[in-house]
Amino acid sequence: MPANIVNANDASHIEKAVQILKDGGIVAFPTETVYGLGADAFNPSAVAKVFEVKNRPQFNPLIVHVASIQEASSLWQNTPLSAQRLMEKFWPGPLTLVLPKTQEVPDIVTSGLKTVGVRMPKNEIALKLIRLLGRPIAAPSANIFGYTSATNAFAVAEDFDDKVDMILDGGSTGVGIESTVVKVEKDHVVLLRPGGIDLEEIKKVAPVVPADGVLKKAHESPGEMVSHYAPWTNLSLIGTNFDDSITELRTLQNNFQQKKTPWPRIGVLLFGSRDLSKLEIGNPLFQVVEVLSPEKNLREAAANLFNCLRKLDKMTLDLLIAETLPEQGLGLAIMDRLEKASAGHVPFREFLDNIK
Ligand code: TXA
Ligand code: MG
């Protein structure tokens, strides 16, 4: 076990973490979504360390984590009624609200933007840390920039080893994907990133733009890059018709066999359980099969997503293939992650063509 992972349920470890933060250090901690890499939000040089360790570009603002609605309001110039309602309904929880910031919020936290994103996490360890520090904690997800997010302390250690001062181990995170990020305007909210809170739930409190939650064009969140959350292994999403894609893969496999070219080692990420043996004649198509949720429960799938991706990525496979999920409810946020995770990679047809 890496030396700097400590059990967060031991009060003395939380106290030590608070001291590290007070001294300008950085601490990885659990939230209900993914692990965060935290610094005292009012200490610019501590925040600079977070950018450096994470290899994060300076233009990508951090979310500030608070322990109460009042603490959030003190970071914004004003708190519109819609923001008040959203906080009352969804906090603590995976919703980040972006609003014009006060001067006191350091520019490095917001990458020079005039707004700041704030959320109150639904995790006792995170809340305790913020309360004992007595100041908000600026924290991005605790992963190397561009790579798959971390949903447990070991995943954090894989990325950072001893480059962070302490990793508070609070077990696996429950939600598993990041918070929904919205910018609050006068009479509506603008969706910047789909996430742990379902859009339909937000719509009950304030109108959301875009209403279908599908972010096709460039929008205002600097962190929403085309490629993100990506494993090192080439990841390709297969079409909405799974069986058609399997038939296509089998044809390709036959071509490989005829040419005596070894079939690559492929890992497949499925939404639910499937009897793949029915689809396979001869050699198996896939070396490894990971299932997000046997019963196709979107909550369970979100909770397992990053862990499954990291697991597959460690198996030295040649290619990863992921099934497409329905873009409803949490499916929207999961597909957002899968699309970005595969965006910088080659589609499986092209990948296999290049081997032959
Ligand atoms: O669930 C979460 O949100 C996790 C946990 C640790 O709280 N945090 C997280 O942080 O996902 P990060 O840094 O990986 O993603 C923050 C996103 C980025 O897309 C960033 O561009 C956006 O929030 N963001 C932050 N402040 C913003 C602002 N002022 N205006 C627009 N977008 C902002
Ligand atoms: Mg992130």
Side-chain angles (χ1 to χ4, degrees):
M1 178 150 90
N4 58 352
I5 293 189
V6 299
N7 183 353
N9 295 316
D10 180 333
S12 71
H13 291 147
I14 302 264
E15 279 159 27
K16 187 151 179 240
V18 170
Q19 195 54 51
I20 291 172
L21 292 169
K22 281 185 178 160
D23 293 341
I26 52 179
V27 172
F29 63 98
T31 79
E32 79 283 32
T33 58
V34 299
Y35 272 66
L37 194 59
D40 174 352
F42 288 121
N43 182 337
S45 60
V47 174
K49 260 190 227 164
V50 171
F51 277 91
E52 192 188 311
V53 165
K54 196 180 145 106
N55 200 15
R56 184 177 176 108
Q58 290 292 343
F59 60 77
N60 192 354
L62 305 187
I63 291 173
V64 176
H65 297 71
V66 295
S68 69
I69 290 180
Q70 292 83 331
E71 197 176 9
S73 296
S74 73
L75 302 171
W76 295 322
Q77 282 175 22
N78 58 62
T79 306
L81 194 60
S82 52
Q84 189 69 31
R85 287 204 189 111
L86 287 165
M87 290 189 286
E88 277 162 17
K89 173 126 194 237
F90 297 111
W91 282 13
L95 177 68
T96 297
L97 300 181
V98 174
L99 275 161
K101 73 175 191 77
T102 61
Q103 266 185 358
E104 283 72 47
V105 179
D107 283 336
I108 187 165
V109 172
T110 66
S111 300
L113 293 180
K114 298 268 177 280
T115 54
V116 62
V118 184
R119 83 178 192 95
M120 178 177 172
K122 192 175 184 171
N123 177 292
E124 275 316 312
I125 295 157
L127 291 173
K128 219 166 165 183
L129 207 57
I130 302 163
R131 283 193 193 114
L132 286 176
L133 179 65
R135 290 148 84 98
I137 294 179
S141 53
N143 53 277
I144 295 291
F145 172 71
Y147 189 57
T148 312
S149 309
T151 52
N152 61 67
F154 291 95
V156 178
E158 268 166 23
D159 281 20
F160 298 110
D161 211 358
D162 54 4
K163 287 204 210 83
V164 300
D165 298 308
M166 183 188 268
I167 301 171
L168 281 172
D169 182 357
S172 288
T173 62
V175 177
I177 48 172
E178 295 86 345
S179 60
T180 304
V181 182
V182 297
K183 186 172 184 185
V184 183
E185 302 282 2
K186 218 167 160 196
D187 49 7
H188 65 276
V189 302
V190 179
L191 178 70
L192 301 181
R193 175 177 75 183
I197 296 276
D198 187 343
L199 218 53
E200 295 309 313
E201 291 302 308
I202 300 177
K203 281 185 198 160
K204 290 178 191 162
V205 183
V208 181
V209 178
D212 61 359
V214 180
L215 309 164
K216 290 285 180 232
K217 45 184 197 282
H219 51 93
E220 297 170 71
S221 192
E224 291 305 287
M225 268 135 298
V226 178
S227 169
H228 206 154
Y229 314 108
W232 301 112
T233 320
N234 193 91
L235 170 70
S236 173
L237 283 183
I238 58 173
T240 38
N241 191 329
F242 187 83
D243 290 0
D244 281 358
S245 301
I246 294 295
T247 308
E248 194 184 337
L249 273 169
R250 241 202 353 249
T251 309
L252 290 166
Q253 192 187 33
N254 281 338
N255 296 344
F256 269 63
Q257 255 161 13
Q258 273 162 22
K259 291 187 182 154
K260 299 206 165 22
T261 311
W263 183 242
R265 287 160 46 82
I266 307 178
V268 66
L269 182 62
L270 299 177
F271 177 25
S273 301
R274 278 174 188 278
D275 184 2
L276 289 174
S277 63
K278 272 199 286 183
L279 298 162
E280 291 182 331
I281 14 173
N283 293 333
L285 281 175
F286 306 119
Q287 199 84 22
V288 190
V289 181
E290 278 291 324
V291 179
L292 288 176
S293 165
E295 304 290 330
K296 294 196 175 187
N297 174 307
L298 284 167
R299 259 175 213 279
E300 187 181 27
N304 289 329
L305 177 70
F306 289 130
N307 207 21
C308 285
L309 278 175
R310 278 182 180 255
K311 203 162 152 192
L312 287 168
D313 206 16
K314 276 191 279 205
M315 291 178 169
T316 57
L317 296 160
D318 299 308
L319 173 66
L320 303 181
I321 285 183
E323 184 177 2
T324 303
L325 280 76
E327 294 197 30
Q328 277 141 20
L330 280 181
L332 188 71
I334 298 173
M335 279 306 291
D336 170 74
R337 307 304 187 268
L338 282 175
E339 269 161 13
K340 291 194 171 114
S342 60
H345 292 160
V346 182
F348 72 88
R349 287 178 202 92
E350 219 176 293
F351 185 92
L352 294 168
D353 263 357
N354 288 341
I355 297 179
K356 281 192 289 175

